[in-house]
Amino acid sequence: MIPQLTILRHVQKQLLARRLLLVVFDGLMIIAAYLGAFILRLPDATSLSGFLPSTILLLPLAVITGLPVLVVSGWYRGLTRYAGSHSLYGLVPRSGSMVLILLLISTLIGGPQPPRSFWILYWLLFTGGAIASRIVLRDVLVHHLDQRDNHNPDNIQGDATLIYGAGASGMALLMALRNDPRFRIIGFLDDDEGIQGRTLQNMGIHTPVRLPRLIERHGVTKVLLAMPAISRRRKRLLVDQLTHRGLEVLSIPSLAQMASGQRIVSDLQAVAIEDLLGREPSNPDPVLLKAGVQGKVVMVTGAGGSIGSELCRQVVALGASRLLLVERNEFALYAIERELRSHPFGVELQAVLGDACDASRLTLLCRRHAVDTIFHAAAYKHVPLVEANLCAGIANNIGATEAVIAATLATGVSRLTLISTDKAVRPTNVMGASKRICELLLQAAAAEIKAGGPILSMVRFGNVLGSSGSVIPLFHQQISTGGPVTVTHPAITRYFMTIPEAVQLVLQSTGMAIGGDLFLLDMGEPVRIADLARQMIELSGLRVRDEHNSDGDIAIQYTGLRPGEKLYEELLISADNQPTQHPLIRRANEPHREAEQLLPLIQQLHEALANWDEATTGALLRRLVPEYDPYEELSTPALVDAMAR
């Protein structure tokens, strides 16, 4: 305890000594400004010798009254090394108060008075001199501290770093990191030819073409992206170019995060692959967003899943009166309910631990709670697992869809939206074929509904970032364990969209549905998975090991397409689709079956599923979905017999 008190007293003594030094310095500045104002106002010696002695009494009064004004107003509380324009401009009203007080005292004393212009000159000289002196002291102090750190043998030098972007954000980042030991800023990179070759805070602004030379000369290891408004496409290109040179790339927060006060410009973070994929976020239509939700009783099946949980978050935020969370995974239901209850939205929550395939339970819930809108997100979606468990996957996906349709028709639910998938288009796997049957069931039910009945619709889209079935978590795990990173095929591509945006578009499509609609979401440009794997490795600060770089850290291994896996995904079976009132949502017109044609085959399918007859189930799958074309044919004798029937 005693050593701590000793250290505290030492620090206090140092602080007092520094402040006393600044007070003495400002006292000398007051004297210099006072005499300088007389010299400028009365340049000839005769006038000066006549006026100055008669008013010399004001000089000690200027010091005696001026310094307390500066002390009381907090002029000496700021740190000189961080003195910026705002703190320096704060001297203007302080010096004005000093002059006014001295003018008042001079008037009260009477006697010979300085010329009126003297007071303006005195104020200007002291203000300008004090501000200039603080700037000089700040720069001298910063230089001294930099030199001390550079010569300190125990000091760890920061990494040579470039800031990409010489705009306002780049300037703010430089000022924030000036004394950060992690970085040694050596300059800026910028694409604007108009400012290349110039300097910012004595730091050169370089063209990106000079990056290899800067790396060689200064040993640059890091680049800080100071462009919060950059597009995802441009950001991905930049990050790809920088990481390919072995540079670590960090980024400042987005404009939205900084504007909301959640983050500040110096809150640097590693660039996540999720920040580089997908389209630019769209601006939602608030009317469409709220149409099926605000003030409504809403049910979400599969509420603990990737899409289901985000649906719950947005439904609650949009002001539903009550939300029923239907989920059969106990922990997933517990997690999303606890999360939603931690936000004071004032929506009544009902956590329902149950199976979405239980039609009688869903019907009872809809009737008891007067449900207005259902979002059906419950489904098995992992292609390899469903492929290996054909009967279980089909029974779950089709059974749950039949159950929510039955509950909707039996209880007068206003809207039902089915969450579908791009894998339902010309499916090559069981999961996609089962979801196409779900679409057919909903289309057939919608065709039977008369005017004024429930509005049934479905939304079809591709991969979402961060879902349980996404390759990104898998790649993260493989990279963390040293690889290899496994990709099924060098040419395989996928669409990607963020989960929040996908759900926003689902909600808006629900708001514009008229019945039997099949909506398609604009997923942006497809991404080559091999490129995604390489970029994730490089974003981790590692290098890809291949035939061109045998010294790399992690290899990419191609394992071959899995059963039922496509090289690319598509959203349309036919080319017939029309725009809607939202630019990123289109309405498709695709062939569907009438209920009398569909239901007998569905009945046969249920019988095969009840007997766990995979061969017959597979054969019926092809009859229900003629475009279903698996890459690996089932060749059991039972399947041949079933196909013959």
Side-chain angles (χ1 to χ4, degrees):
M1 187 69 181
I2 293 176
Q4 291 179 346
L5 287 173
T6 304
I7 293 172
L8 180 61
R9 287 169 183 164
H10 178 69
V11 171
Q12 289 175 338
K13 287 180 180 179
Q14 282 189 327
L15 181 61
L16 181 60
R18 290 175 184 172
R19 288 184 176 176
L20 283 174
L21 187 62
L22 290 174
V23 170
V24 171
F25 189 86
D26 285 340
L28 295 175
M29 185 64 64
I30 290 173
I31 295 172
Y34 183 91
L35 297 176
F38 266 111
I39 292 171
L40 289 175
R41 178 62 183 83
L42 305 169
D44 58 288
T46 304
S47 301
L48 185 62
S49 61
F51 255 99
L52 189 57
S54 62
T55 58
I56 197 65
L57 179 62
L58 291 177
L59 180 55
L61 290 175
V63 177
I64 293 171
T65 59
L67 291 177
V69 170
L70 296 177
V71 172
V72 172
S73 64
W75 173 240
Y76 299 105
R77 292 177 189 166
L79 292 172
T80 303
R81 76 184 74 173
Y82 298 122
S85 58
H86 292 291
S87 60
L88 294 176
Y89 291 152
L91 179 63
V92 174
R94 292 182 172 99
S95 60
S97 300
M98 290 168 46
V99 173
L100 290 175
I101 291 173
L102 187 61
L103 175 59
L104 177 62
I105 293 174
S106 174
T107 304
L108 292 174
I109 292 175
Q113 297 292 312
R116 282 177 291 181
S117 57
F118 161 83
W119 301 105
I120 297 176
L121 289 171
Y122 171 50
W123 175 71
L124 290 174
L125 286 174
F126 176 76
T127 303
I131 289 176
S133 66
R134 283 301 190 277
I135 293 174
V136 172
L137 285 172
R138 179 195 67 189
D139 293 343
V140 169
L141 182 58
V142 169
H143 179 73
H144 170 71
L145 292 173
D146 289 343
Q147 291 295 317
R148 186 190 65 183
D149 290 341
N150 291 337
H151 290 90
N152 184 358
D154 297 327
N155 183 54
I156 300 175
Q157 288 288 317
D159 296 323
T161 304
L162 287 166
I163 296 177
Y164 207 121
S169 297
M171 173 65 177
L173 183 60
L174 174 65
M175 299 304 294
L177 299 180
R178 173 158 285 181
N179 296 292
D180 193 316
R182 297 174 298 167
F183 307 104
R184 178 166 54 88
I185 308 298
I186 63 166
F188 292 88
L189 294 174
D190 204 285
D191 300 321
D192 186 353
E193 296 179 359
I195 62 174
Q196 290 170 0
R198 302 174 69 179
T199 61
L200 180 62
Q201 290 288 307
N202 292 324
M203 296 284 181
I205 303 174
H206 306 281
T207 171
V209 175
R210 298 194 67 238
L211 181 58
R213 191 179 305 174
L214 293 170
I215 294 174
E216 182 179 354
R217 179 182 300 174
H218 300 283
V220 177
T221 59
K222 288 186 173 76
V223 174
L224 312 180
L225 293 182
M227 297 179 289
I230 191 173
S231 68
R232 285 188 177 180
R233 178 190 287 268
R234 176 64 180 147
K235 189 173 186 178
R236 186 176 185 191
L237 179 62
L238 280 180
V239 170
D240 190 49
Q241 292 171 344
L242 296 170
T243 55
H244 204 56
R245 295 187 180 277
L247 299 171
E248 182 182 355
V249 182
L250 303 176
S251 179
I252 65 175
S254 66
L255 285 174
Q257 289 174 317
M258 290 191 287
S260 64
Q262 298 175 348
R263 310 285 292 276
I264 59 176
V265 70
S266 58
D267 288 338
L268 295 165
Q269 55 195 357
V271 177
I273 194 65
E274 290 87 345
D275 298 332
L276 308 178
L277 298 178
R279 289 180 300 90
E280 294 303 307
S282 60
N283 294 320
D285 182 333
V287 175
L288 292 177
L289 269 180
K290 298 176 181 178
V293 173
Q294 189 174 45
K296 311 283 187 183
V297 179
V298 179
M299 174 189 287
V300 176
T301 67
S306 305
I307 296 294
S309 59
E310 182 62 24
L311 272 166
C312 293
R313 294 183 192 101
Q314 295 197 26
V315 164
V316 166
L318 288 169
S321 62
R322 183 182 303 165
L323 173 62
L324 280 69
L325 304 94
V326 179
E327 173 61 60
R328 69 181 180 187
N329 183 302
E330 181 185 25
F331 179 76
L333 181 62
Y334 163 74
I336 185 61
E337 184 197 22
R338 183 179 62 174
E339 177 188 338
L340 295 177
R341 290 195 186 281
S342 67
H343 299 292
F345 287 113
V347 177
E348 183 181 343
L349 300 177
Q350 184 76 36
V352 179
L353 189 62
D355 193 340
C357 294
D358 189 341
S360 60
R361 180 84 186 281
L362 293 183
T363 302
L364 179 64
L365 288 169
C366 289
R367 185 172 287 122
R368 177 178 295 168
H369 296 280
V371 172
D372 298 298
T373 303
I374 299 177
F375 293 99
H376 177 42
Y380 287 152
K381 305 181 183 74
H382 291 259
V383 170
L385 285 178
V386 175
E387 203 72 21
N389 298 272
L390 181 146
C391 290
I394 295 173
N396 179 79
N397 292 355
I398 294 177
T401 302
E402 289 180 311
V404 294
I405 291 173
T408 298
L409 298 179
T411 60
V413 170
S414 299
R415 296 175 185 268
L416 165 62
T417 299
L418 166 69
I419 307 299
S420 189
T421 171
D422 56 0
K423 293 176 178 61
V425 179
R426 280 183 277 274
T428 58
N429 52 66
V430 173
M431 192 279 282
S434 71
K435 293 297 285 184
R436 178 57 185 153
I437 294 174
C438 293
E439 292 181 352
L440 292 171
L441 286 168
L442 189 137
Q443 287 174 319
E448 299 288 319
I449 296 174
K450 298 179 181 179
I455 297 174
L456 278 55
S457 64
M458 47 199 156
V459 187
R460 187 188 284 169
F461 55 94
N463 299 277
V464 289
L465 295 169
S467 68
S468 58
S470 172
V471 296
I472 292 176
L474 173 63
F475 286 174
H476 276 306
Q477 187 270 330
Q478 291 175 335
I479 291 170
S480 67
T481 57
V485 172
T486 56
V487 178
T488 57
H489 193 282
I492 193 168
T493 63
R494 288 293 180 266
Y495 293 100
F496 288 95
M497 178 183 285
T498 64
I499 295 177
E501 185 181 17
V503 168
Q504 278 188 353
L505 294 173
V506 167
L507 292 168
Q508 290 171 95
S509 66
T510 300
M512 67 175 73
I514 56 176
D517 312 80
L518 173 55
F519 293 107
L520 315 172
L521 304 187
D522 180 356
M523 299 292 294
E525 295 295 323
V527 176
R528 189 166 168 262
I529 300 301
D531 292 339
L532 175 66
R534 179 184 59 79
Q535 195 161 47
M536 288 185 66
I537 292 171
E538 292 176 345
L539 280 174
S540 301
L542 304 172
R543 295 176 299 165
V544 176
R545 184 171 67 248
D546 54 23
E547 63 274 12
H548 304 296
N549 184 14
S550 59
D551 296 328
D553 303 295
I554 293 181
I556 297 176
Q557 179 180 334
Y558 297 102
T559 59
L561 289 173
R562 298 172 296 181
E565 189 172 34
K566 282 184 176 184
L567 278 178
Y568 59 92
E569 301 291 1
E570 49 190 336
L571 289 170
L572 275 174
I573 296 174
S574 66
D576 188 8
N577 69 97
Q578 292 84 35
T580 66
Q581 59 201 91
H582 195 290
L584 300 181
I585 303 174
R586 299 186 71 84
R587 181 182 278 108
N589 292 315
E590 292 189 344
H592 63 276
R593 297 192 182 189
E594 301 297 330
E596 58 268 19
Q597 298 175 331
L598 184 65
L599 295 183
L601 291 174
I602 295 294
Q603 181 59 39
Q604 294 179 42
L605 183 62
H606 281 303
E607 293 172 1
L609 291 171
N611 296 319
W612 219 256
D613 185 347
E614 291 193 359
T616 303
T617 298
L620 287 166
L621 207 60
R622 297 176 190 224
R623 292 178 64 187
L624 283 160
V625 187
E627 62 271 20
Y628 171 47
D629 184 21
Y631 290 150
E632 287 196 6
E633 299 285 343
L634 293 173
S635 56
T636 61
L639 176 57
V640 174
D641 294 341
M643 289 294 291
R645 295 198 297 272

